[in-house]
Amino acid sequence: EKRREDKMTQYKNLGNNSSIRAYEYDATGIRIQFNDGSTYEYTAASLGEPLLREMKRLADAGQGLCSYINSNRNIRFGYSRKI
């Protein structure tokens, strides 16, 4: 069986200073893996659709996602679960 991170998309980290390694998302949420190996899941139910949509946009852009999470307390602690 493939490891979970093998199917995740590597975060581009265009700012070259992110602690995010990879991500994956679907219609219901986004899962973000950090450099320490931890993975957190954020959902529309835990954050609200507008914040989730912005996280997906930043993930695809490859820049700003970690700052967005860290600068907003509602997001930083708004994950639905740690995987």
Side-chain angles (χ1 to χ4, degrees):
E1 182 180 328
K2 290 189 88 170
R3 295 187 339 230
R4 176 172 198 83
E5 61 267 20
D6 289 343
K7 69 178 190 166
M8 296 180 92
T9 301
Q10 184 169 350
Y11 185 63
K12 292 183 189 120
N13 191 13
L14 297 176
N16 209 27
N17 60 351
S18 181
S19 61
I20 295 174
R21 179 184 298 160
Y23 68 95
E24 65 180 349
Y25 61 77
D26 56 26
T28 62
I30 186 169
R31 285 153 300 287
I32 299 173
Q33 182 183 63
F34 292 88
N35 288 335
D36 67 2
S38 63
T39 301
Y40 290 84
E41 180 177 68
Y42 302 84
T43 64
S46 70
L47 289 179
E49 192 59 46
L51 295 177
L52 179 61
R53 195 168 36 249
E54 180 65 1
M55 289 180 76
K56 291 176 180 180
R57 186 190 73 76
L58 291 168
D60 286 339
Q63 190 170 15
L65 181 56
C66 191
S67 296
Y68 187 67
I69 292 169
N70 289 331
S71 66
N72 188 324
R73 187 170 174 78
N74 292 336
I75 298 172
R76 188 172 188 182
F77 299 105
Y79 56 89
S80 59
R81 67 185 175 132
K82 182 177 179 181
I83 301 170

